Structure formats: structure tokens, C-alpha cells
Amino acid sequence: MSIVAMLDEARAARRQKTLIAFNAATLRLGGKTIIENLDLEVRPGEFLCIVGASGCGKTTALRLAAGLYRPTSGAVTFDGEPITEPRREVAIVFQDYGKALLPWRTAAGNISLALEASRVPARERGARIEALLRKVGLPGHADKYPSEMSGGMQQRLQIARCLAQEPTTLLMDEPFGALDAMTRQGLQDEVLSLTHASQTTVIFVTHDLDEAIYLGDRVVGLLPHPGRIGIELDVDLPRPRDQLATREHPEFLRLRRQLFDFIKATEH
Amino acid sequence: MNRAAILWRVASILVAAGLIAAWQLAANLRLVSPVFLPGPDRAWAALVRGFSSGDLAGKLIGTLEHMAYGWLAASIAGIALGALIGSSKMMRAYVAPSLEFLRPLPVSAIIPVAIAMLGLTRGMALFVIAFGAIWPIVLATIHGFAAVEPRLYEVARSLQMSRAAIIGKIALPSALPDILAGMRLSLTVALILSVVCEILAGLDGLGQWVLLSARAFRSADLFAGVILLGATGYLTSIAMSLVEQRLLAWQTAAR
Ligand SMILES: Nc1ncnc2c1ncn2[C@@H]1O[C@H](COP(=O)(O)OP(=O)(O)OP(=O)(O)O)[C@@H](O)[C@H]1O
Ligand SMILES: [Mg+2]
């Protein structure tokens, strides 16, 4: 076998590797089957978007991946091991940023919480916090309390705290759902550049089909009652994505149409 | 301070001045015999005399000590107990009914028990003060711990924070407004019970001063003691609100 072929094979193998895997995962809560026989594999470095009608189990699937729930049967694994508890290398960005921040700590203090948990020495924290605030576009807001910040700023702060965990994987549950369109687009591009630079694996839950296609390498649509996979689309759009050009791309429009029809059919 | 606040302050000072003037008038007109009711002038003179030549300062310190020790013991035990019960649903379910039974027991019902067990001692006084002052703190702490945003516990889990860190960095600060409110209520309870115990056990303090003055018909001294007690309650409560304002600065940051 030639060296080139071997390298190709190695690269293919790496691409085939899975980081997070749902194997026939089923979750029952309160006597109700919320997720049934979910099979899903997420590759390292992949940006996977999950869409679906309200109540179909998107949040629940994400919480399984986070280790906040354990499957009733089947398995959810991270790097081959069953996920039993949340781990520091997997950061969760909650939709309700207002509830996920400590109101009694300033922006710097909230980021510091993650650094303290990772046992970063006190004298290193200041510089790290400053760098993180700059990274998410909040320089100079270190001493503000969350209640003094807009929704977009609070969500940036939550993302900064998650980045402070130095995660290899980000789980994001409708992170921009409560934000206005302009803020939303800005944050979409920031998340893309932040995660692309560090090769972070992302599972991104959203209601917004356009957002899913714009961000994702792959989009999975869930069917409700119980939650299971209904559609899986590879997104072959050039990166870096561009708010205007990408959204006008014929492939974007084709995928959008396909997803739209799928969601329409699930909602009868 | 804005205009309205200044107006309120002026108005409250005027009301106080009016009450003192009415008191003086009542004394001057001898509506009540001067044996029982001295005027503010005589009460003030007794207060000054008590501090300069008498033992009033020592009595004040005695009462402050009883109050402070009892209250601090109640605070530490109350927060610990409240945290223990409040941080677990099971504990809340099992322990809350017993608490509901103990809580409405008037402390006066405990005093004979405490005297029987501990005698007329300082230890008895501190036990009674702490027992009376602990309830507002325990209940407030349970409430504060039960009301912690569950999302924050999930954040803590995803950061793999230790149990101690979760209590110290999430639960306690989140419950702090409730805890401080409970501690403020307890401050008054502690003062009242300090006086009661000093009277019952003859411990060095304002309670004893007031009792002895009353027995000797030294009404001016009696009133001096009462004024001092009022001032103690007022000033400790102001000190407490200053501490609250400092610790809860984040609550007022945006509003
Ligand atoms: N703890 C629970 N106990 C019982 N049922 C639950 C629980 N959590 C969620 N469910 C149910 O599971 C289903 C899926 O919930 P989930 O929150 O995952 O939906 P979702 O797709 O995230 O919805 P949305 O788009 O509205 O956020 C819903 O029908 C919900 O009522
Ligand atoms: Mg959801």
C-alpha cells in the first residue's frame, strides 16, 4: 500500500471516529417514553445541529449527552465510555442564560467560577478572565453584574464561562432563542469562529431551521412522541460561512426546503 | 439621598421630638405620679449619671454580650441546621413536621426546662437566647436553600464542583438574602430574651438594672435603662442593615 493511501486511510479512520454515540438510547421519565431507540454518532470536531418540533425531545437528548440524565436502556457514550455524570471537558450552554449565571457575581466572577473549579491558581485567573471576555466581545465589562447586562451580553458571558472550562465539546440548547435577529447573527458567527479555531465538537439544538443549516456540518431532525431520528442531512456548504452568501446558496435553499417539509409533516 | 428621603428623615425626627415633648408635658402636668413617670429631663440626667458614676456601662456591656453570644450561636447553629435540612428534599420531608411542632412553642415554655436543667446560670441564659433566636434563622435558611435555582446546580455539576464548593459558592450566597433577613429578626428576639434571662437569673445586664431600679422605685434609673434598651435594639438593627446592604450590593446594582 502506498504512503498516500495509508495517510488517506488514517484520515478516513479519524473522520469515522465517533466522540459521542447514542446506541439505541431510550429514556423514560415519569412513566413516559421521551426518547426511544435513538442512534446517533457525533464525530470529533463536528458541528451537529438538532432540530424538531417543540416538545419532541431535543433538550432531553442534549441532557443525555451532557450526563444530566442517564438512559433507561441503551447507552450514551463519550469516547467509548458510558456517560454517567457531567464532565468538565463537556460544557453546556443553557438557553435560559439568566438562570445559569450567578447574579451575585460580576462577569469576571462568573467566569472565575469555572476557573476555580478547574483549580486555576488565583494569580492566573485575572489574565485568563480578561482574555475570555475579549474573546466573546465583552472587554471592559468585567465588573458588571449579570443584571446590568443585556440578554445578548449575558449569553456571551455564559459562553465565556463555558470556554473557561476549556471544553472539547460544547452542548448548546437553543442558546440564541431569546435574542433579536441582529444579535443572533453576530453570535452565530462568533460561535463558528470560536469553535472552528479550537476544533471543538458542538451539538447545537435550535428551533430555527436556517440557523441549523447555516451553522452545521450535519442537521438531524427529531420526530416527536417518542423522540427519535426522522431525518439526517449532510450540509455541504463552503466554510467559512457567510451570513449573506451562504444563505443565498442554492444548496442552502434546497436543504432548507427539505427540512421545512420534514417539520411540516411532523406537525400535521 | 434624594429629596423624598430627606423629607421622610425630617418628618421622622419631628415625630420623635413631638413624642418626647408630649412625654415632658405629661410629666410636668403630673398626669402620672413622678414616682412612676419621670420626665425625659430626669431620665436623661439618670442616664448620664448612670454612665459617669454608676454601673450602667457595665450593665450595657453585659446585655450586649448575652445578646451577641446567644445570637451568634443561634446564627451558626441555625444556618448549619437550615442548610442541612434545606439542601435535601428528604430531610425537608422528614424534619419539617418536627420543626413545625417546635417552632410555635413559646420560648417562655422552654425557660423553666432550661432552668431545671442548667440552673440560674449564664449558660441557661445563653441556651434560652439561642433557642429563641434560632427559629427565624433556621426557617429562613431552609427557605433560601430550597429556593436555589436548580439550573445553578446543573452548572455546578457540569463544572464538577465539590459538595463543599457547591454549598459555599452556590447555595449559601443564593440563600444569603433570606438568611440575613432571618438573622435580623433574631436580633430583636435575642435582645428581648437577654433582658428576660437577666431578670430571671439576676445576671449582670440591663434587665437586672431595670428590675432593681423598679424595686427601689428609682423610676428615672428605670427609664434610663429602658431608653438604653431601645437604643440598643435600634442601633443593632441599623448596623445589621448596613451589613445587609454591603453583602447584597449585587441586588441593587441594576435597579
Ligand atoms: N422531567 C420530565 N418528566 C416528564 N416529562 C418530561 C420531563 N422533561 C421533559 N418531559 C417531556 O418530554 C418531552 C420532550 O421534552 P424536551 O424538553 O426534550 O423537548 P424539546 O424538544 O426540547 O422542546 P422545546 O423545543 O419546547 O424546548 C416533552 O413532551 C416534555 O413534556
Ligand atoms: Mg428544549
Side-chain angles (χ1 to χ4, degrees):
Chain A
M1 210 194 297
S2 76
I3 291 210
V4 174
M6 276 168 66
L7 282 177
D8 273 351
E9 207 172 73
R11 205 172 297 136
R14 213 177 311 131
R15 215 177 302 127
Q16 286 306 310
K17 227 187 115 190
T18 57
L19 185 66
I20 299 176
F22 292 74
N23 296 319
T26 296
L27 181 73
R28 271 188 283 279
L29 285 175
K32 214 173 106 187
T33 306
I34 315 267
I35 297 274
E36 187 161 61
N37 273 329
L38 187 68
D39 279 307
L40 181 63
E41 298 194 337
V42 187
R43 297 184 289 270
E46 185 179 25
F47 201 120
L48 176 83
C49 292
I50 299 181
V51 297
S54 192
C56 71
K58 304 183 293 293
T59 296
T60 310
L62 203 69
R63 291 172 68 87
L64 278 168
L68 291 171
Y69 285 150
R70 281 192 223 173
T72 314
S73 68
V76 185
T77 59
F78 186 93
D79 231 351
E81 300 164 36
I83 301 170
T84 51
E85 259 300 295
R87 43 178 75 211
R88 218 174 285 147
E89 64 197 294
V90 179
I92 311 163
V93 180
F94 293 100
Q95 171 172 8
D96 40 10
Y97 42 77
K99 291 181 178 171
L101 296 169
L102 307 182
W104 56 85
R105 286 198 183 204
T106 59
N110 269 282
I111 297 176
S112 177
L113 186 76
L115 299 176
E116 292 159 29
S118 314
R119 303 200 191 293
V120 173
R123 72 198 124 74
E124 287 171 29
R125 282 180 215 150
R128 294 268 293 269
I129 289 167
E130 210 164 292
L132 284 161
L133 283 171
R134 214 172 317 113
K135 214 172 189 176
V136 298
L138 290 175
H141 295 287
D143 295 327
K144 286 217 171 103
Y145 287 100
S147 56
E148 297 173 287
M149 306 172 104
S150 70
M153 290 163 79
Q154 291 183 31
Q155 190 56 293
R156 282 164 201 260
L157 177 56
Q158 194 193 180
I159 291 171
R161 185 185 62 205
C162 287
L163 295 179
Q165 281 176 253
E166 305 199 312
T168 58
T169 302
L170 266 180
L171 306 176
M172 308 181 88
D173 189 3
E174 301 195 41
F176 311 142
L179 304 176
D180 64 88
M182 285 308 288
T183 311
R184 206 180 162 110
Q185 294 200 345
L187 280 173
Q188 287 169 353
D189 290 332
E190 278 171 45
V191 162
L192 279 183
S193 69
L194 285 173
T195 55
H196 189 73
S198 53
Q199 281 291 299
T200 309
T201 311
V202 185
I203 305 184
F204 190 104
V205 165
T206 175
H207 254 109
D208 181 342
L209 306 184
D210 289 34
E211 181 170 70
I213 303 166
Y214 180 74
L215 293 173
D217 294 316
R218 191 153 57 110
V219 180
V220 165
L222 295 189
L223 287 168
H225 312 300
R228 67 223 123 96
I229 291 182
I231 193 172
E232 226 183 299
L233 298 173
D234 282 315
V235 181
D236 270 324
L237 286 166
R239 288 194 188 268
R241 306 271 161 96
D242 176 274
Q243 289 290 352
L244 291 175
T246 302
R247 288 173 194 270
E248 284 166 358
H249 200 286
E251 176 67 3
F252 184 94
L253 297 174
R254 190 186 67 77
L255 289 167
R256 187 171 183 272
R257 180 65 198 233
Q258 210 176 337
L259 265 187
F260 193 82
D261 288 342
F262 163 76
I263 295 288
K264 203 71 195 277
T266 68
E267 278 178 340
H268 13 258
Chain B
M1 220 174 352
N2 58 23
R3 275 177 82 98
I6 292 172
L7 275 178
W8 274 112
R9 188 55 58 86
V10 169
S12 69
I13 291 173
L14 285 179
V15 168
L19 284 174
I20 293 175
W23 174 15
Q24 184 73 63
L25 195 67
N28 290 349
L29 294 175
R30 298 183 168 250
L31 293 178
V32 182
S33 155
V35 177
F36 300 116
L37 182 73
D41 50 350
R42 279 177 56 211
W44 180 255
L47 192 65
V48 173
R49 194 169 1 97
F51 271 109
S52 58
S53 57
D55 192 21
L56 200 49
K59 304 291 179 199
L60 173 62
I61 290 172
T63 296
L64 285 177
E65 270 181 17
H66 296 148
M67 184 180 169
Y69 289 148
W71 181 70
L72 284 178
S75 300
I76 293 168
I79 293 170
L81 193 63
L84 192 70
I85 299 167
S87 59
S88 131
K89 236 184 216 148
M90 283 241 290
M91 284 290 273
R92 285 210 294 280
Y94 289 134
V95 182
S98 330
L99 281 187
E100 288 307 312
F101 177 77
L102 279 174
R103 184 177 61 93
L105 266 185
V107 189
S108 40
I110 287 300
I111 293 179
V113 180
I115 292 178
M117 290 195 316
L118 300 166
L120 290 171
T121 59
R122 232 177 117 94
M124 179 282 294
L126 292 185
F127 174 79
V128 169
I129 297 165
F131 185 87
I134 203 172
W135 298 113
I137 300 175
V138 170
L139 295 175
T141 307
I142 293 177
H143 179 262
F145 267 70
V148 176
E149 170 58 48
R151 185 69 78 232
L152 292 181
Y153 285 135
E154 289 177 358
V155 169
R157 272 174 76 190
S158 94
L159 290 173
Q160 294 181 317
M161 285 166 62
S162 67
R163 211 181 134 71
I166 291 175
I167 289 177
K169 292 178 184 173
I170 307 249
L172 267 179
S174 168
L176 194 61
D178 287 309
I179 294 174
L180 290 174
M183 287 171 72
R184 171 206 281 282
L185 283 177
S186 289
L187 209 51
T188 319
V189 177
L191 177 59
I192 294 169
L193 289 175
S194 299
V195 173
V196 169
C197 289
E198 284 157 13
I199 290 178
L200 284 176
L203 299 172
D204 235 12
L206 288 173
Q208 188 204 35
W209 169 280
V210 167
L211 180 73
L212 295 181
S213 305
R215 283 198 183 142
F217 295 102
R218 285 185 276 114
S219 63
D221 284 342
L222 168 67
F223 270 72
V226 170
I227 290 170
L228 219 43
L229 283 172
T232 303
Y234 184 65
L235 292 178
T236 48
S237 150
I238 286 185
M240 186 72 204
S241 36
L242 288 179
V243 171
E244 277 188 64
Q245 265 173 32
R246 249 198 92 81
L247 289 177
L248 304 180
W250 57 273
Q251 279 191 329
T252 43
R255 277 157 251 157

